[in-house]
């Protein structure tokens, strides 16, 4: 089955700096890669996703890149703000709508 | 419209007791998922229902865990003879169809504490 590894486990950045979180996956057949943000005590919410036929996708300050050959994808947050502080989870679709999640990255944005 | 709801929001039980957790998906969503999230950990897949197909139970950690879903509506996750290691937040999610790219919408979770 699919296996997703996520790094780093924690990340501290200064407000205004960029943050990058990386994930690798094992199943070359996976074709959908969402990113979820979970604020403290709240439910995970989708912030951006990418399909395997696309190499990069941007939405304002957030972007995701995908390298199918290397089987890794990354989340990029530019001009970080304190409200970006949360746990971020990457995921890869195994089959149907089943997702396999990474272990999560705690992002702290220091003001 | 209403999102995914779960009840109870918190459940405290004694070791050895059975518990039942409920999930109400978004109306019309054919796919439903249960995850377990231990404190400070990631999302551990438990079970996946898709329409009338047989559920994918591959993530259930032991035979003490079971889940049912009535048609395309409510689902219940049952944990029998609870153990302290079952303490976690149990999250339910639903998505609109079995196609490949549909967003999973999460409920607020049930925080289970086994004493």
């Amino acid at each position: 089955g699919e296996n997703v590894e996520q790094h780093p486990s924690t990340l501290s950045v200064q407000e205004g700096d960029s943050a990058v979180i990386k994930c690798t996956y094992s199943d070359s057949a996976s074709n959908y890669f969402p990113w979820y943000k979970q604020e403290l005590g709240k439910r995970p919410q989708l912030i951006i996703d990418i399909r395997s036929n696309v190499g990069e996708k941007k939405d304002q300050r957030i972007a995701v890149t995908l390298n199918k050959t290397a089987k890794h994808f990354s989340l990029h947050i530019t001009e970080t703000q304190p409200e970006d502080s949360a746990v971020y989870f990457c995921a890869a679709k195994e089959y149907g709508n089943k997702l396999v999640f990474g272990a999560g990255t705690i992002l702290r944005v220091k003001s | 419209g209403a999102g995914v709801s779960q009840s109870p929001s918190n459940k405290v039980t004694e070791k050895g007791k059975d518990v039942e957790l409920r999930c109400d998906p978004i109306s019309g969503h054919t796919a439903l998922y249960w995850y377990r999230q231990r404190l400070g950990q990631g999302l551990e897949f438990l079970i996946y229902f898709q329409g009338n197909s047989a559920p994918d139970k591959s993530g259930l950690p032991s035979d003490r865990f079971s889940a049912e879903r009535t048609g395309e509506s409510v689902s219940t996750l049952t944990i029998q003879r609870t153990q302290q290691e079952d303490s976690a937040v149990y999250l339910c999610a639903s998505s609109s169809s079995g196609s490949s790219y549909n967003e999973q919408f999460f409920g607020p979770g049930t925080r289970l504490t086994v004493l």
Side-chain angles (χ1 to χ4, degrees):
Chain A
E2 177 66 275
N3 181 51
V4 177
E5 294 191 354
Q6 183 171 348
H7 301 280
S9 56
T10 60
L11 178 60
S12 289
V13 298
Q14 203 66 37
E15 182 178 359
D17 287 351
S18 295
V20 181
I21 303 170
K22 299 180 179 180
C23 289
T24 60
Y25 61 99
S26 60
D27 187 352
S28 56
S30 291
N31 61 2
Y32 174 64
F33 308 91
W35 286 87
Y36 283 80
K37 175 183 180 182
Q38 186 176 29
E39 296 178 12
L40 188 62
K42 297 192 175 181
R43 71 191 78 185
Q45 291 192 301
L46 179 73
I47 54 171
I48 195 167
D49 55 17
I50 191 167
R51 303 177 188 183
S52 59
N53 59 348
V54 175
E56 182 176 2
K57 182 176 178 180
K58 290 187 72 173
D59 182 2
Q60 300 182 342
R61 297 186 297 107
I62 294 173
V64 56
T65 58
L66 172 65
N67 183 327
K68 285 190 294 181
T69 303
K71 290 190 282 188
H72 67 70
F73 56 112
S74 301
L75 177 71
H76 305 253
I77 306 173
T78 58
E79 300 171 26
T80 53
Q81 301 168 3
E83 53 265 37
D84 294 329
S85 295
V87 181
Y88 291 81
F89 294 99
C90 63
K93 184 181 75 67
E94 188 172 57
Y95 65 86
N97 251 339
K98 182 182 175 183
L99 296 176
V100 177
F101 285 87
T105 296
I106 300 171
L107 174 64
R108 295 191 184 95
V109 180
K110 297 175 287 188
S111 56
Chain B
V4 178
S5 60
Q6 292 185 244
S7 60
S9 54
N10 281 284
K11 177 71 178 178
V12 180
T13 190
E14 293 180 348
K15 177 181 173 181
K17 301 279 189 183
D18 297 352
V19 295
E20 211 172 77
L21 313 180
R22 177 187 169 108
C23 172
D24 284 86
I26 293 172
S27 178
H29 280 194
T30 60
L32 186 146
Y33 317 78
W34 283 98
Y35 297 91
R36 178 169 69 181
Q37 187 173 33
R38 292 196 166 108
L39 187 63
Q41 302 295 312
L43 298 164
E44 179 187 359
F45 167 79
L46 296 178
I47 189 168
Y48 161 38
F49 295 90
Q50 175 55 57
N52 295 318
S53 302
D56 175 355
K57 305 179 182 180
S58 61
L60 295 179
S62 77
D63 59 8
R64 296 187 296 104
F65 288 72
S66 62
E68 292 185 349
R69 187 181 187 194
T70 307
E72 295 182 354
S73 61
V74 171
S75 175
T76 55
L77 176 69
T78 301
I79 308 173
Q80 296 178 307
R81 305 181 302 280
T82 51
Q83 304 294 313
Q84 288 183 331
E85 62 262 29
D86 299 335
S87 295
V89 174
Y90 290 81
L91 289 162
C92 173
S94 69
S95 62
S96 63
S97 79
S99 69
S100 299
Y101 308 122
N102 287 307
E103 176 181 355
Q104 291 189 20
F105 293 85
F106 284 83
T110 292
R111 182 174 299 279
L112 174 66
T113 303
V114 182
L115 302 176

